[in-house]
Amino acid sequence: MLYRKYEVAQTLPEALSLLSSHNGAVVRPVAGGTDLILQLHERILSADVLVDISRVPELRGIRLENGQLVIGAATTYTEISRSDLVLKNAFVLAEASKKIGAVQIQNMATLGGNIGNASPAADAIPGLYALQADVVVCGPNAERRIPITEFHQGYRKIDLNPGELIKEIRFAIPAEGTGTAFYKYALRKSQAISVVDAAVCVQLSDGVIKHATVALGAVAPTIIRSPAAESVLIGEPPSEDLFDRAAEAACQDARPIDDIRGSAAFRKYLVGVCTSHAVRSACERAA
Amino acid sequence: MDENNLIKMELTVNGEAVSMIVKGGRRLLDFLRDDLHLTGTKEGCGEGECGSCTVHLDGQSVLACLTPMERAIGCSVLTIEGVGSPTNLHPVQAALLDEGGVQCGMCTPGMVMSALDLLERNPDPTIEEIIEGISGNLCRCTGYKKIIYGIQQAAQELQAASPAGTVKESVE
């Protein structure tokens, strides 16, 4: 048995109350289950009670609110990659969603799950760093809004208290003239964990990069921004030479390790490859 | 909570209503194979990599090895047993046989379920789209080409068989 009891929450208050109503028991929320059920099956984690939050309306869907895009935590990658709001305003997230697992995983797995699982190779998170998104968490008494760069505190360490749930992601709609892109290097096109990936937002104004964010995945204990690459880009017109210099700068900010998917040296090289591809695509889309 | 974690599984499987008291806390894959004896759905890797356990849950392809069984309560599940029959194969199944897209057979049920999911969304897929559609399914025998050709053939047959007007707009 993977768990002793399964409870389905219909509303957010009910989900929060179910999460805190089992004294002494290990209670975990489950949405897509693609990480959790595997970790229970392989006994990496244990659980007494699972609280199914996949149908809680407050945690689902994508909407515009006061110039911000809001994505519910239990929204699946299939929903994100097909959303007109995402395709129009945050293409990087649609692009990344199509690279996660394959169709079946995209139908099941959720954005909130990717944030909570906090893998440094999580494919949806670099885009959220590049979009400067906030994570909204809610507990029995209050909501908190935390920049995603602070929500991920360290290797698989997140700023979430017992009894709290990841509710949604929010970010300002990028300004006019912004292009976004995600580029992933993995050993296969599908069903593969990133060796390195990069997500980029650039805003062009009069042919010059006015604003740039560069995020890198799988090269540090968490997803990271690359301030060095960003400062190379800002104030310059897009060119192949600029992309090369941004790639070099990004390599300086990466702190990769050796593991089964690639050596640290190979990853350093790939940071350049991924960064230049992503910056080039973002600039093309911004123009 | 019952001591033995007995739960009532009420759902639709392959178009038929199912209602039974079984042990909870397991995967949808275990419920289908061990309780319903629908052993067409295979366990390959058991960790969401190989696609052998692909079934449709309320019309979407999912991995039964990563789905808690209770998630399916009140839902409609389609497994390979609900697709065609030995004497009346679904066009996708027939085309996989025609093209030699079946060898050991372990991946075939999942492959068929993914192909059906693809063709429902996209009745006229390109080769690239077929490859993407089955990219969550591993086959260690065929090298994929015969499977891809089989799905392409089935798409053409299904397109030819569907009445005018129901076919998705094709690219000009």
Side-chain angles (χ1 to χ4, degrees):
Chain A
M1 230 188 317
L2 304 176
Y3 45 88
R4 286 191 293 116
K5 193 173 186 188
Y6 194 89
E7 295 181 316
V8 180
Q10 304 294 344
T11 66
L12 186 55
E14 188 189 1
L16 292 169
S17 129
L18 286 170
L19 279 175
S20 53
S21 65
H22 298 274
N23 275 342
V26 180
V27 187
R28 296 184 188 278
V30 61
T34 53
D35 283 312
L36 179 62
I37 299 300
L38 174 60
Q39 288 166 14
L40 294 175
H41 186 64
E42 297 194 336
R43 301 187 193 287
I44 295 165
L45 289 179
S46 68
D48 298 308
V49 182
L50 295 190
V51 176
D52 184 329
I53 55 166
S54 66
R55 289 162 189 154
V56 171
E58 297 96 315
L59 301 177
R60 293 193 39 77
I62 301 164
R63 63 182 194 277
L64 269 179
E65 206 177 279
N66 304 326
Q68 297 205 317
L69 199 66
V70 185
I71 305 179
T75 306
T76 66
Y77 291 115
T78 296
E79 290 162 342
I80 291 169
S81 67
R82 292 181 190 165
S83 157
D84 288 337
L85 283 175
V86 173
L87 288 166
K88 182 167 176 281
N89 298 298
F91 190 80
V92 61
L93 292 184
E95 198 169 29
S97 297
K98 295 285 285 176
K99 299 277 164 73
I100 293 172
V103 178
Q104 300 96 316
I105 297 283
Q106 290 160 20
N107 283 341
M108 304 168 73
T110 65
L111 185 60
N114 212 209
I115 294 166
N117 191 53
S119 162
D123 287 337
I125 314 302
L128 298 178
Y129 272 59
L131 289 161
Q132 298 176 281
D134 290 339
V135 182
V136 178
V137 304
C138 57
N141 305 313
E143 278 190 12
R144 296 187 295 133
R145 182 170 173 163
I146 310 133
I148 189 150
T149 46
E150 291 167 30
F151 185 75
H152 286 134
Q153 298 171 320
Y155 178 72
R156 290 192 181 263
K157 198 164 176 294
I158 56 174
D159 178 11
L160 192 71
N161 300 316
E164 283 185 325
L165 266 181
I166 300 170
K167 184 186 174 200
E168 63 200 16
I169 274 285
R170 285 174 171 266
F171 54 87
I173 295 292
E176 193 73 17
T178 299
T180 68
F182 176 74
Y183 191 90
K184 166 175 175 173
Y185 181 89
L187 302 181
R188 265 184 106 227
K189 278 191 189 167
S190 298
Q191 297 288 67
I193 295 173
S194 288
V195 182
V196 170
D197 56 51
V200 171
C201 294
V202 293
Q203 187 196 353
L204 286 182
S205 178
D206 298 327
V208 170
I209 295 174
K210 189 177 165 195
H211 173 78
T213 53
V214 175
L216 305 171
V219 294
T222 65
I223 307 299
I224 56 168
R225 289 267 296 271
S226 172
E230 291 168 3
S231 60
V232 164
L233 291 168
I234 291 169
E236 300 284 332
S239 70
E240 284 302 318
D241 173 61
L242 182 71
F243 305 153
D244 286 346
R245 285 192 286 127
E248 241 169 72
C251 294
Q252 293 163 21
D253 283 333
R255 311 188 298 279
I257 56 166
D258 295 313
D259 75 4
I260 189 171
R261 284 178 285 281
S263 65
F266 183 44
R267 280 199 163 91
K268 277 257 183 189
Y269 168 77
L270 287 175
V271 167
V273 174
C274 293
T275 301
S276 62
H277 276 300
V279 172
R280 186 182 301 109
S281 298
C283 287
E284 283 167 6
R285 289 167 189 166
Chain B
M1 174 170 36
D2 189 285
E3 281 293 298
N4 300 311
N5 187 21
L6 292 179
I7 58 160
K8 188 172 191 185
M9 285 296 285
E10 266 189 316
L11 68 163
T12 304
V13 179
N14 298 332
E16 288 184 24
V18 170
S19 176
M20 59 198 292
I21 308 282
V22 295
K23 209 173 90 178
R26 294 174 297 147
R27 306 169 301 174
L28 179 58
L29 177 66
D30 303 317
F31 172 70
L32 293 172
R33 290 182 57 87
D34 299 346
D35 298 342
L36 299 183
H37 305 296
L38 294 173
T39 53
T41 304
K42 305 301 183 197
E43 176 160 14
C45 66
E47 52 186 48
E49 296 281 351
C50 77
S52 299
C53 66
T54 303
V55 299
H56 294 190
L57 182 65
D58 282 345
Q60 280 205 311
S61 62
V62 299
L63 301 170
C65 79
L66 296 180
T67 304
M69 60 193 284
E70 294 89 344
R71 171 66 56 83
I73 292 173
C75 295
S76 176
V77 175
L78 180 70
T79 72
I80 191 67
E81 287 86 351
V83 181
S85 70
T87 53
N88 184 22
L89 294 176
H90 186 280
V92 169
Q93 294 168 314
L96 283 177
L97 285 182
D98 277 358
E99 289 286 338
V102 177
Q103 287 189 32
C104 87
M106 180 76 181
C107 75
T108 312
M111 210 56 96
V112 171
M113 300 313 290
S114 285
L116 291 178
D117 179 82
L118 169 70
L119 296 179
E120 264 161 39
R121 285 180 287 117
N122 181 359
D124 187 21
T126 62
I127 292 283
E128 281 301 311
E129 288 166 340
I130 293 174
I131 292 172
E132 190 191 330
I134 59 165
S135 67
N137 296 76
L138 298 182
C139 170
R140 299 292 78 173
C141 302
T142 66
Y144 299 104
K145 282 201 169 172
K146 290 156 188 280
I147 295 174
I148 294 162
Y149 296 150
I151 295 170
Q152 192 182 32
Q153 182 191 317
Q156 286 160 359
E157 283 170 17
L158 286 164
Q159 287 260 77
S162 64
T166 63
V167 180
K168 202 183 110 184
E169 283 178 13
S170 59
V171 181
E172 284 160 14

